[in-house]
Amino acid sequence: MRVARKKFAENKKDGENFIAETLGRLKMETKSDKAVASTDLVIEAVVENLELKQKIFAELDKVAPKHTVFVSNTSSLSIQEIASVTSRMDRFGGLHFFNPVPVMKLLEVIRIPETSHETFALLLKFGTEMGKTTVESKDSMGFIVNRLLVPYVHEAIKLLERGDASAKDIDVAMKLGCGYPMGPIELVDYTGLDTHKYIIDGWHKTYPENPLYEPSPMLDKYVKEGKLGRKVGQGFFTYQK
């Protein structure tokens, strides 16, 4: 709805029609067998937790049609590990969308060694027909964007944690010094401190010797206190609900 308000700022009626038409194309279903009974493509987008994703796909694999392609929207976990609990690894891939999805043009399309050429071609076509610019990536940690972005954001948190600079000054420096539209502290507030913690904890577990992925006590404290970012009104910055 935020997208509609911005896109149709000059014409409120068109914005209302846009929202109504969009919601009219959605069908809600809470039963997994009914949800996938006649689907060609399933896109999972739950929290960055490997066990949860595997549990969901193991259940869906039992009830989805044989031709159905499974996709995870994970931003950091191994697609192959997620897919390993299914019987359709040739029909499994990754589609990593960026937030907010209606605005961000990029779509990372990820394949594992078992992904068939037909499946990968279908995923690329799906992204293109949505109006996205697609980039192809192997199933490496963080793919392209997050492999570069997460360490950058995490280093900004450590910079704040050490008291080397304020959150405001870190963001101003990166916006004006590098031309970024959003500073790293504002960005992690937007995406969610809990999401960043899930990712960095997972990477630290995989590569415990890499100092880039060392946990942040400040981040851990904020997440424990429920200061998860913009979505709850409080992260490193405070927001009006």
Side-chain angles (χ1 to χ4, degrees):
M1 292 187 182
R2 290 198 307 268
V3 173
R5 285 196 292 267
K6 185 175 181 180
K7 185 175 182 179
F8 299 98
E10 302 296 322
N11 194 320
K12 185 178 180 180
K13 185 63 177 178
D14 284 351
E16 292 173 352
N17 290 337
F18 173 81
I19 293 171
E21 289 173 6
T22 301
L23 293 178
R25 290 192 289 270
L26 300 178
K27 180 182 177 182
M28 306 297 290
E29 180 55 69
T30 58
K31 301 293 184 181
S32 59
D33 55 340
K34 292 182 179 180
V36 301
S38 59
T39 53
D40 297 315
L41 178 66
V42 172
I43 303 175
E44 163 275 314
V46 301
V47 68
E48 291 290 85
N49 181 290
L50 178 62
E51 290 73 23
L52 177 59
K53 291 177 185 289
Q54 288 178 326
K55 179 177 182 292
I56 289 171
F57 277 120
E59 293 174 355
L60 293 179
D61 192 47
K62 297 174 183 176
V63 294
K66 291 295 183 184
H67 74 276
T68 304
V69 172
F70 284 176
V71 161
S72 177
N73 178 52
T74 180
S75 60
S76 64
L77 299 175
S78 165
I79 300 292
Q80 191 170 40
E81 284 192 62
I82 297 171
S84 66
V85 298
T86 75
S87 60
R88 62 185 80 209
M89 293 183 73
D90 61 319
R91 284 153 285 151
F92 210 112
L95 289 177
H96 181 212
F97 294 86
F98 293 83
N99 196 22
V101 176
V103 175
M104 301 297 279
K105 297 295 185 182
L106 185 66
L107 176 63
E108 290 180 322
V109 184
I110 300 95
R111 72 185 308 165
I112 59 178
E114 295 86 352
T115 305
S116 69
H117 294 303
E118 293 77 13
T119 296
F120 197 62
L122 182 149
L123 297 181
L124 289 170
K125 182 181 179 183
F126 176 76
T128 301
E129 290 183 350
M130 288 182 68
K132 300 295 185 184
T133 296
T134 60
V135 292
E136 303 177 20
S137 174
K138 291 183 179 180
D139 186 27
S140 62
M141 190 176 70
F143 315 129
I144 300 172
V145 174
N146 274 355
R147 188 61 176 267
L148 300 171
L149 183 64
V150 169
Y152 153 70
V153 170
H154 200 58
E155 188 58 35
I157 294 172
K158 290 180 179 179
L159 196 68
L160 177 63
E161 188 173 53
R162 292 192 301 266
D164 294 340
S166 68
K168 178 182 177 181
D169 285 347
I170 291 170
D171 280 356
V172 169
M174 295 310 296
K175 286 191 283 188
L176 300 186
C178 294
Y180 292 174
M182 187 180 289
I185 305 300
E186 182 185 4
L187 178 59
V188 74
D189 266 1
Y190 185 82
T191 58
L193 276 67
D194 51 337
T195 298
H196 183 83
K197 176 173 163 56
Y198 267 122
I199 295 172
I200 212 69
D201 285 353
W203 290 9
H204 178 64
K205 183 177 179 181
T206 304
Y207 299 102
E209 305 302 319
N210 193 326
L212 288 175
Y213 312 139
E214 275 290 325
S216 159
M218 174 183 277
L219 176 66
D220 293 346
K221 178 176 180 290
Y222 274 44
V223 171
K224 186 176 181 180
E225 292 174 350
K227 298 176 181 178
L228 307 181
R230 182 182 287 272
K231 59 189 173 186
V232 297
Q234 177 69 58
F236 290 110
F237 295 111
T238 301
Y239 304 87
Q240 289 186 344
K241 293 185 178 180

